[in-house]
Structures are given as structure tokens and as C-alpha cells.
Amino acid sequence: CDLTLVKDADFAAGLGLDIQIRTKVVRFWSYIKNVAIKIGNDILEIEGSVDADDADAHYWINFEYQGDLDTFADFPVTQKLPSTYKRRYIIDLSSKYPGASIVVQLYKEFVRVQFNGDQSVFGNTVGLLGDYKTGELLARDGSTVFDDFTDFGDEWQVLPSEPKIFHEVAHPQFPELC
């Protein structure tokens, strides 16, 4: 299921930020399998691997598998491989936001996205992370507050009118619910 984690059309002086996650259901729980990050016209998709012996990086830069990844949207990118089943990608936003970064961490097939920055960096984002200032689970309209996590997740499913930033389409896709 593709979900909008965060988006901000005014990020980095109008470049825009759109981060979508793709979840996978396993029995009664789910996890983030892929993340796709769009800044300006550049897209970086990162995917974990179920094979514990697979030390290959599984990423697409502008839909090219394992393309050149020294920079992304003019921000430096660092890859770290602490072990064969752990990997970190650090997008250094310091050129626009001193000390800020977006970090994607992989542990086998599990993906984690971490935002390092204050309100000046991520204060206008909307999506699954909720309102930056209050933590409220806000709907797309910016005012409806959810108290049910399932309904909130359905609210932020990627819509047909939104950009498809993963390298391939996977089901379910809206209007089919997650």
C-alpha cells in the first residue's frame, strides 16, 4: 500500500518534498518495504532485502537502478554499510538547512525514515507523520483530526491525482484500500 509519509510543496524554497512509503502486510502487522523521496524533479527510491546475505544496495535514482548517488536534488548523499544486512542513506540538507538531514535506515527488509531538523525544515509538512507542531493526526483538509489509526492511514493513501514516484506499481492502489 502506497502512503504519503510527508509532503511540503514549499520545501527548500519551492523545490518541494514528497515522501511516499510502500508497506507490506505480514499476517496481522505491516512494515515499510520501500520509501520513495522526491525533491524537486529528482526521485530516490530505496528498498530493503529479505536475503540476509544480500549486501547489494537496492535503490533507484530517477528510476535508474543503482544509478550515480553522490548527490540527490543537489544535496550530498552518503551511504554507510555497517554490516551485510544494515545500510544507511543520509541526505544532507545542510546547504539549505544547516544541520538538517533525512536518513533512511535498512535492517534486512525493514525500512526506517528519520527526519533530523526543526520546525524551519519540516514544520509545513503534511501526511502520515501528522502535524509537526501539535502531533495531531490531521486529514488532507488540514482541520479534521483522526483518532482511529486505520482511518488515518486510509486518508493518506496515495491518490490517483498524486505523482507515482515508485519505479513500479504495486497493489493495492486507490480506490482499493490498504
Side-chain angles (χ1 to χ4, degrees):
C1 182
D2 296 350
L3 303 164
T4 298
L5 186 62
V6 297
K7 68 179 175 179
D8 176 1
D10 297 325
F11 181 80
L15 277 178
L17 172 68
D18 192 355
I19 301 180
Q20 297 176 4
I21 56 173
R22 178 166 286 165
T23 60
K24 181 176 179 178
V25 176
V26 179
R27 293 180 294 276
F28 300 104
W29 54 279
S30 64
Y31 65 92
I32 301 172
K33 179 179 182 276
N34 302 51
V35 60
I37 303 168
K38 182 175 190 282
I39 299 176
N41 293 319
D42 287 337
I43 300 171
L44 172 62
E45 178 183 350
I46 300 170
E47 177 180 79
S49 174
V50 295
D51 183 357
D53 297 323
D54 182 4
D56 288 341
H58 297 282
Y59 68 87
W60 294 259
I61 180 79
N62 296 321
F63 303 107
E64 180 186 346
Y65 185 65
Q66 295 181 340
D68 183 29
L69 190 56
D70 295 326
T71 62
F72 167 63
D74 291 328
F75 296 109
V77 177
T78 305
Q79 292 186 59
K80 296 187 177 185
L81 183 64
S83 70
T84 55
Y85 51 88
K86 288 183 177 181
R87 185 176 294 270
R88 284 180 12 153
Y89 297 82
I90 303 163
I91 304 168
D92 183 356
L93 305 174
S94 293
S95 63
K96 297 259 187 213
Y97 304 105
S101 64
I102 299 171
V103 179
V104 177
Q105 294 177 295
L106 306 176
Y107 176 77
K108 298 182 181 176
E109 70 265 40
F110 302 105
V111 177
R112 173 184 175 200
V113 183
Q114 179 179 333
F115 299 90
N116 299 314
D118 60 15
Q119 187 170 329
S120 68
V121 184
F122 301 112
N124 295 320
T125 57
V126 297
L128 272 179
L129 291 187
D131 182 82
Y132 184 91
K133 299 167 197 99
T134 65
E136 290 181 315
L137 306 179
L138 294 179
R140 290 175 182 270
D141 65 12
S143 59
T144 304
V145 178
F146 283 87
D147 57 8
D148 181 278
F149 294 117
T150 301
D151 292 340
F152 182 64
D154 289 343
E155 174 72 5
W156 287 104
Q157 187 172 1
V158 174
L159 300 175
S161 60
E162 295 175 307
K164 302 290 186 232
I165 60 177
F166 288 100
H167 78 280
E168 63 185 5
V169 175
H171 291 281
Q173 292 287 318
F174 190 86
E176 183 183 353
L177 295 178
C178 297

